[in-house]
């Protein structure tokens, strides 16, 4: 599970996160929505243990990421907006390489099965990544996290630049991982994709969590109106579809 309890983080005179609290149980997908500068990347950096909060606490699977960072990171799969892989290596070779870095060695059959399970067609496994679409590269990135038996997945704008078919495939893959028990937090500004993918949605503005909503219990129209209202008047609470 993912827990942030009244987390505050400042950089000079800028408050990046203002008493942020999120409690995400095992097997759920949480979409953290917000514009650029809202604090989404700072939240991910805290969970990854790259920066420390000024106040409050952070827990991943009950562990403090700053107490034993190497141990905590073994359970985390991080997928950036643009997955950094080696274009001259194949999907299979990239997966093998990053598994070995993590101290994991798998036979080729296991690596190939992992890529297939993460949605990459078997005909592409031995082709160089230079010919992959962005959606295919995302699947390799998720396969790398999946192969290390990650229990927590952190994704930063994963649907950015994907076509509708790739968006749908990514949603289905993340929902499959959640059904298998993974806890997933997604930072995004794509309201429609996040609503169709996530169980819970939180709107972040200037480091403040303005509201949390159950994805199935709110329409995209209401979500969009709420989001825009908060962007214009961040301190005015919205009365509809709030889960609290």
């Amino acid at each position: 599970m993912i827990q942030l309890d009244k987390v505050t983080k400042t950089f000079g005179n800028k408050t990046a996160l203002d008493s942020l609290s999120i409690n995400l149980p095992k097997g759920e997908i949480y979409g953290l929505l917000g514009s650029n500068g809202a604090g989404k990347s700072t939240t991910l950096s805290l969970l990854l243990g790259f920066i420390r909060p000024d106040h409050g606490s952070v827990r991943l699977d009950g562990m403090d990421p700053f107490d034993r960072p190497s141990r905590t990171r073994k359970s985390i799969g991080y997928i950036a907006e643009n997955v950094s892989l080696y274009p001259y290596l194949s999907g299979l070779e990239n997966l093998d390489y990053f598994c070995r870095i993590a101290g994991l060695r798998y036979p080729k059959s296991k690596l190939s099965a992992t890529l297939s399970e993460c949605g990459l067609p078997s005909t592409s496994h031995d082709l160089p990544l230079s010919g992959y679409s962005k959606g295919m590269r995302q699947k390799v990135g998720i396969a790398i996290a999946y192969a290390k038996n990650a229990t927590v997945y952190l994704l930063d704008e994963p649907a950015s630049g994907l076509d509708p078919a790739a968006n749908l495939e990514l949603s289905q893959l993340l929902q499959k991982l959640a059904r298998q028990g993974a806890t997933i937090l997604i930072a995004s500004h794509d309201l429609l994709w996040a609503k169709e993918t996530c169980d819970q949605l939180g709107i972040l503005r200037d480091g403040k969590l303005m509201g949390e909503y159950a994805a199935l219990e709110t329409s995209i129209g209401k979500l969009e109106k709420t989001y825009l209202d908060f962007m214009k008047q961040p301190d005015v609470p919205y009365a509809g579809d709030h889960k609290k």
Side-chain angles (χ1 to χ4, degrees), residues 96 99-100 104-108 110-111 146-149:
D96 183 41
C99 283
R100 287 173 182 265
L104 303 169
R105 293 178 179 268
Y106 296 116
K108 183 177 179 179
K110 172 65 174 176
L111 295 170
Y146 187 59
K148 66 183 285 193
N149 299 312

Side-chain angles (χ1 to χ4, degrees), residues 15-28:
T15 299
L17 295 177
D18 188 354
S19 196
L20 176 63
S21 293
I22 294 175
N23 189 355
L24 180 56
K26 178 180 179 181
E28 287 202 8

